């Protein structure tokens, strides 16, 4: 099988994730906050080590909140903020539905103005943004770090720096970029950074979270038992317990801890370099068929995701043909209709290829044979 759907979920993971996760789960797979046994303390150490890894990867000293997914994180942040002083929200035209659907709901309920930053294809219109901010100051800015449809990396630093002039709350959806990009220049500008364990952190599904500037008031999305202060009617104020209702996903934390250990040992720069090389090789191959397909993504400033359409096949037909040749891609809207409307692929969407650290030249040869049979 040739796997080019890594923007959904990376596959394969590091071999250690498969080999060590269940082994460790057998040893310490109990709740880290419900008793004081040795196993519980060992589980707590794993969680603490995972949090240390996340802080290294995202170049931050802020609080790390672990939960089930980046989608849960988006909802907890968007529905948990205090909107008394939030009148205008800015987003990009590349937002995933985990942000867009939640922010549309809150903007309607709270009667908040929702503005979309102006991009010329993939390039931010900086002057227009500055004029927008002067006209209607940004109170909340939520940005996708890189499009899950087209792969373009957004100029987060420029936007957040401009927003901070007006004391905007800043939220970065780093689901596609955590584990690949350097966050050292932007982590201090982001009040929240959302991450997904199952993408470029190479962990299992069902584990994710966000990095939280605790100076920003936030209410939890989920209420229930935390293992501490059970006598209180309200959720505890202490972090991270305030956002840890219910029994945590210990198995997911173990898997993500092992994955991030491996990621740090290999080195994010090495991961990024390999992934960039895989992407450019894929892009070069698809460019050879430019008379038959249209590539919407750009080769430069890309996280490793590209979308195409074909002149003689629908995205659905292309995906089926790829599947018949054991090449896994994804067709459709990719949970990001805003991006398709922005680029003009809203009628049917695209066929998406997304690479990982593990793709290789043999994958390209199989893809070439398939494309030759089509065109």
């Amino acid at each position: 099988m040739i796997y080019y759907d890594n923007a959904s979920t990376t596959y394969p993971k590091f071999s250690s994730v498969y080999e060590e996760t269940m082994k460790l789960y057998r040893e310490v797979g109990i709740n880290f906050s419900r008793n004081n046994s040795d196993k519980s303390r060992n589980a707590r150490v794993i969680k603490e080590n995972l949090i240390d890894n996340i802080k290294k990867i995202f170049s931050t000293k802020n609080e790390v909140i672990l939960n089930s997914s980046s989608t849960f994180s988006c909802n907890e942040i968007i529905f948990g903020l205090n909107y008394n002083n939030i009148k205008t929200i800015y987003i990009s035209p590349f937002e995933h539905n985990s942000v867009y659907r939640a922010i549309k709901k809150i903007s309607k309920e709270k009667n908040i103005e929702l503005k979309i930053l102006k991009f010329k294809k993939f390039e931010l219109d900086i002057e227009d943004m500055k004029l927008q901010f002067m006209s209607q100051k940004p109170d909340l800015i939520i940005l996708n770090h890189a499009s899950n449809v087209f792969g373009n990396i957004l100029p987060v630093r420029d936007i957040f720096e401009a927003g901070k002039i007006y004391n905007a709350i800043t939220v970065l959806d780093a689901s596609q970029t955590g584990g690949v990009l350097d966050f050292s220049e932007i982590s201090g500008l982001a009040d929240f950074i959302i991450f997904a364990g199952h993408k470029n952190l190479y962990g299992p599904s069902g584990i994710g979270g966000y990095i939280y500037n605790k100076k920003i008031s936030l209410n939890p999305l989920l209420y229930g038992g935390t293992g501490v202060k059970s006598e209180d009617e309200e959720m505890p104020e202490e972090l991270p317990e305030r956002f840890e209702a219910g029994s945590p996903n210990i198995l997911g934390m173990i898997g993500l801890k092992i994955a991030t250990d491996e990621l740090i040992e290999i080195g994010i720069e090495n991961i990024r370099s390999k992934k960039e090389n895989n992407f450019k090789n894929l892009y070069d191959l698809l460019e050879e068929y430019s008379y038959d397909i249209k590539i919407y993504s750009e080769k430069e400033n890309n996280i490793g995701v590209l979308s195409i359409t074909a002149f003689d096949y629908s995205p659905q037909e292309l995906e089926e043909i790829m599947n018949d040749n054991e090449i896994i891609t994804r067709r459709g809207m990719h949970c990001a209709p805003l991006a398709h409307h922005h680029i003009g692929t809203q009628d049917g969407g695209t066929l998406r290829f997304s690479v990982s650290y593990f793709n290789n030249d043999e994958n390209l040869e199989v893809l070439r044979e398939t494309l030759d049979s089509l065109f």
Side-chain angles (χ1 to χ4, degrees):
M1 180 187 75
I2 311 302
Y3 191 77
Y4 282 122
D5 192 24
N6 292 281
S8 296
T9 300
T10 49
Y11 181 86
K13 311 296 184 183
F14 300 118
S15 59
S16 57
V17 174
Y18 300 118
E19 295 166 2
E20 300 297 327
T21 298
M22 283 306 299
K23 178 182 176 183
L24 198 51
Y25 186 57
R26 286 178 184 272
E27 297 174 3
V28 297
I30 67 172
N31 201 312
F32 54 75
S33 62
R34 298 303 193 267
N35 60 65
N36 289 313
S37 66
D38 289 341
K39 286 186 182 294
S40 184
R41 284 193 291 272
N42 290 338
R44 194 154 52 244
V45 169
I46 289 171
K47 179 197 176 192
E48 291 167 355
N49 289 341
L50 169 58
I51 287 173
D52 287 343
N53 286 352
I54 294 296
K55 288 182 177 182
K56 288 178 185 176
I57 290 166
F58 290 96
S59 301
T60 186
K61 294 181 179 179
N62 282 341
E63 195 76 32
V64 175
I65 306 298
L66 298 172
N67 54 42
S68 62
S69 66
S70 56
T71 297
F72 188 97
S73 298
C74 290
N75 278 261
E76 183 154 77
I77 294 165
I78 290 169
F79 292 111
L81 286 169
N82 183 334
Y83 286 89
N84 289 340
N85 296 314
I86 296 176
K87 307 301 179 185
T88 307
I89 302 171
Y90 285 87
I91 62 173
S92 82
F94 300 103
E95 300 309 313
H96 190 277
N97 273 341
S98 57
V99 165
Y100 186 55
R101 285 175 172 170
I103 210 68
K104 285 288 287 185
K105 178 177 174 61
I106 202 74
S107 65
K108 289 178 181 178
E109 289 179 352
K110 303 290 186 181
N111 195 28
I112 296 170
E113 187 79 20
L114 179 60
K115 310 287 285 184
I116 298 177
L117 294 169
K118 184 177 179 180
F119 278 72
K120 299 173 182 177
K121 196 176 180 182
F122 300 126
E123 184 178 353
L124 172 69
D125 189 330
I126 294 180
E127 294 307 313
D128 184 82
M129 177 190 71
K130 291 178 179 179
L131 290 173
Q132 276 191 301
F133 285 3
M134 289 174 63
S135 175
Q136 288 182 280
K137 77 177 186 70
D139 300 309
L140 172 62
I141 303 173
I142 305 180
L143 289 182
N144 197 329
H145 200 178
S147 169
N148 72 306
V149 181
F150 303 105
N152 55 298
I153 301 168
L154 276 64
V156 170
R157 181 178 178 181
D158 292 339
I159 299 169
F160 280 0
E161 282 183 340
K164 283 302 179 183
I165 294 173
Y166 301 90
N167 297 315
I169 297 170
T170 50
V171 181
L172 180 63
D173 180 0
S175 298
Q176 295 293 333
T177 57
V180 183
L181 297 187
D182 180 358
F183 284 77
S184 59
E185 294 186 355
I186 58 175
S187 63
L189 294 168
D191 294 311
F192 300 88
I193 302 176
I194 296 162
F195 60 89
H198 66 289
K199 297 184 190 290
N200 286 303
L201 296 178
Y202 293 94
S205 297
I207 185 72
Y210 59 95
I211 295 157
Y212 172 35
N213 175 4
K214 59 186 179 182
K215 294 178 181 179
I216 307 297
S217 176
L218 188 70
N219 289 317
L221 182 66
L222 197 63
Y223 288 72
T226 58
V228 298
K229 295 193 173 180
S230 298
E231 68 279 7
D232 291 349
E233 294 180 353
E234 302 294 332
M235 290 294 287
E237 293 294 332
E238 290 84 0
L239 299 176
E241 289 83 3
R242 181 168 176 77
F243 304 102
E244 290 184 343
S247 295
N249 180 3
I250 299 297
L251 181 62
M253 290 182 188
I254 291 170
L256 187 55
K257 186 266 182 187
I258 293 169
T260 51
D261 281 346
E262 190 89 10
L263 190 74
I264 290 169
E265 183 176 348
I266 295 171
I268 289 176
E269 288 186 3
N270 294 326
I271 296 280
R272 181 169 62 248
S273 177
K274 177 77 181 301
K275 191 175 178 184
E276 286 176 351
N277 185 64
N278 289 338
F279 175 72
K280 289 180 179 178
N281 288 340
L282 172 64
Y283 200 105
D284 290 343
L285 172 60
L286 291 172
E287 272 191 318
E288 295 178 21
Y289 300 86
S290 59
Y291 289 105
D292 301 290
I293 66 174
K294 181 174 181 180
I295 302 174
Y296 292 89
S297 303
E298 293 182 346
K299 184 185 292 187
E300 304 303 323
N301 197 42
N302 195 298
I303 198 62
V305 179
L306 67 84
S307 274
I308 69 167
T309 57
F311 300 121
D312 297 326
Y313 301 92
S314 69
Q316 181 176 356
E317 290 170 331
L318 277 178
E319 183 191 44
E320 290 173 354
I321 293 167
M322 293 294 166
N323 280 340
D324 289 342
N325 289 273
E326 296 189 338
I327 301 171
I328 309 303
T329 57
R330 183 181 176 185
R331 53 90 178 174
M333 304 295 283
H334 318 297
C335 303
L338 268 185
H340 288 280
H341 281 280
H342 176 68
I343 297 298
T345 53
Q346 65 272 21
D347 295 330
T350 61
L351 184 75
R352 185 185 71 184
F353 293 82
S354 47
V355 302
S356 82
Y357 176 75
F358 293 102
N359 289 116
N360 54 45
D361 292 341
E362 292 178 5
N363 297 165
L364 292 174
E365 288 309 309
V366 175
L367 177 58
R368 181 187 295 278
E369 291 173 6
T370 303
L371 293 172
D372 284 343
S373 71
L374 285 173
F375 307 118

